[in-house]
Amino acid sequence: MNFIKKIGPANLFLLALCVLIIGVAEYLFLRGDKLHAIFIGLWAPTLLLVVIFIKQIKNGR
């Protein structure tokens, strides 16, 4: 529980969403749908970059 309080529920949700996106991309890739897997797989780093950008703005940097 201390880990959840330290990270925050919103950030934990976004982290879980990124893990889910990576899992779906791996599933599609192994199924043979490589182009869709790459497209969906690129969402995870983009989502993490947006979260980092929002945190930087929130902290005033």
Side-chain angles (χ1 to χ4, degrees):
M1 270 323 245
N2 192 21
F3 179 72
I4 294 172
K5 288 181 183 177
K6 187 174 182 180
I7 289 182
N11 290 332
L12 188 62
F13 172 74
L14 291 173
L15 183 62
L17 184 62
C18 287
V19 170
L20 179 68
I21 288 170
I22 292 170
V24 169
E26 286 181 10
Y27 170 75
L28 288 173
F29 190 82
L30 292 175
R31 201 180 79 184
D33 197 3
K34 295 183 193 253
L35 289 178
H36 285 120
I38 292 171
F39 176 71
I40 292 175
L42 289 174
W43 292 356
T46 305
L47 181 62
L48 290 173
L49 180 65
V50 169
V51 169
I52 291 171
F53 180 71
I54 291 171
K55 283 184 157 261
Q56 292 291 325
I57 290 175
K58 188 177 179 182
N59 290 335
R61 293 182 184 170

